[in-house]
């Protein structure tokens, strides 16, 4: 299993639990120290955790990472896109893409493209994407998809999660006649993660308050269990194109599921990362 965002939060827990079942887990993260610590702590597990350091903000790094993964692993039967951030200020990457959109959406889009042939040869295989119910408050606004004006960090994050779901559903349709499934999930509101470390002060204060008030939010363990379910549950070996929350398989907004929106996002994304939009 390849898992981005696996050195902290729900990703770290999920990586450990899957490795405990005997799997090899390739964890992708920005922090070398955290990655090395995770590997050291996993030595007693039945499986194996290996760490790959990468900052998914840049397309060159994503492509380099893909090459490294292909050179290291003969099989990739599960690809989990869990890395994410919420940037307080509008920042562009060296590729000229708004940072939250680049990390949360374009990196999964591009990495899936780069690893798809290995997933095919390893099939049955799964693609799992961490989305969020916050997508309910977002729209695409294709005339200004990257918030060149009126940037709001929470809206940018919500739109990136909307993109995650639209991408997953479109990918599932395009892979319909293969043995690769694509599903996404809402981990719950997990206030104890580092997701909002770059968010505005008022957001960080609210998240911190939620973390200490009983009954508010979801624990990291609960969020990780939702991720593990999509990775290991037998029904998701064949079930594809679903959005899963704590209530089970539910429907995302029509903004996310609309075929025209999905196709347009797919084509714009292909243009931004310079690949053929007709893949796979």
């Amino acid at each position: 299993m390849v898992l981005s965002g696996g050195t902290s939060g729900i990703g770290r827990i999920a990586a450990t639990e899957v490795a405990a079942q005997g799997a090899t887990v390739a964890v992708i993260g920005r922090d070398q120290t955290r990655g090395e610590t995770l590997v050291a702590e996993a030595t007693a597990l039945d499986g194996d955790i290996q760490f790959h350091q990468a900052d998914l903000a840049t397309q060159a790094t994503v492509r380099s990472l893909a090459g490294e993964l292909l050179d290291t692993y003969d099989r990739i039967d599960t690809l989990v896109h869990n890395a994410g951030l919420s940037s307080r200020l509008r920042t562009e990457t060296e590729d000229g893409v708004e940072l939250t959109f680049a990390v949360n959406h374009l990196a999964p889009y591009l990495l899936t493209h780069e690893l798809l042939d290995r997933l095919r040869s390893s099939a049955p295989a799964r693609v799992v994407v961490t989305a969020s119910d916050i997508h309910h408050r977002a729209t695409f606004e294709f005339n200004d998809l990257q918030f060149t004006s009126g940037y709001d960090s929470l809206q940018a994050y919500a739109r990136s999660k909307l993109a995650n779901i639209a991408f997953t559903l479109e990918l599932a349709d395009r892979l319909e006649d293969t043995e690769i499934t694509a599903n996404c999930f809402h981990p719950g509101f997990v206030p104890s993660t580092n997701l909002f470390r770059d968010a505005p002060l008022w957001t960080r204060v609210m998240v911190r308050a939620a973390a200490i008030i009983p009954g508010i939010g979801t624990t990291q363990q609960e969020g990780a269990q939702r991720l593990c379910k999509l990775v290991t549950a037998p029904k998701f070996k064949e079930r594809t194109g679903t959005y899963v929350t704590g209530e089970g398989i539910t429907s995302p907004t029509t903004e996310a599921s609309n075929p025209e929106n999905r196709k347009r996002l797919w084509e714009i994304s292909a243009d931004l990362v310079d690949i053929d939009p007709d893949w796979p």
Side-chain angles (χ1 to χ4, degrees), residues 198-221:
D198 297 323
L201 177 61
W202 66 270
T203 300
R204 286 180 279 133
V205 169
M206 289 178 63
V207 169
R208 179 164 297 190
I212 62 177
I213 298 174
I216 296 181
T218 305
T219 67
Q220 291 187 26
Q221 188 66 41

Side-chain angles (χ1 to χ4, degrees), residues 5-6 21 26 31 47 49 61 65 74 85 92 100 118 128 170 199 261:
Q21 298 176 35
D31 193 305
I49 294 180
T61 299
L65 169 66
D74 293 333
L85 58 75
E92 290 191 355
T100 299
R118 187 59 49 86
V128 176
E170 183 67 15
N261 285 350

Side-chain angles (χ1 to χ4, degrees), residues 1 3 5-27 34-35 37-50 220-221 224-225 227-228 231-232:
M1 178 174 80
L3 168 66
T7 60
S8 64
I10 68 172
R12 184 185 182 93
I13 296 171
T16 301
E17 293 196 3
V18 173
Q21 298 176 35
T24 294
V25 182
V27 168
R34 284 183 179 175
T37 300
L38 175 60
V39 171
E41 292 175 350
T43 54
L45 300 176
D46 290 339
D48 179 39
I49 294 180
Q50 299 188 38
Q220 291 187 26
Q221 188 66 41
Q225 286 302 317
L227 192 163
C228 288
V231 169
T232 63

Side-chain angles (χ1 to χ4, degrees), residues 63 109 113 174 266-267 270-271 273-280:
R63 287 187 165 91
Y109 180 88
H113 173 272
R174 290 176 179 236
W266 188 278
E267 292 174 346
D271 182 62
V273 299
D274 194 25
I275 62 175
D276 185 344
D278 289 333
W279 78 282

Side-chain angles (χ1 to χ4, degrees), residues 8 30 34 84-88 103 193-200 204 207:
S8 64
R30 293 188 301 173
R34 284 183 179 175
L85 58 75
S86 176
S87 180
R88 180 172 61 89
V103 173
T193 68
N194 290 322
L195 176 62
F196 295 101
R197 59 187 176 272
D198 297 323
R204 286 180 279 133
V207 169

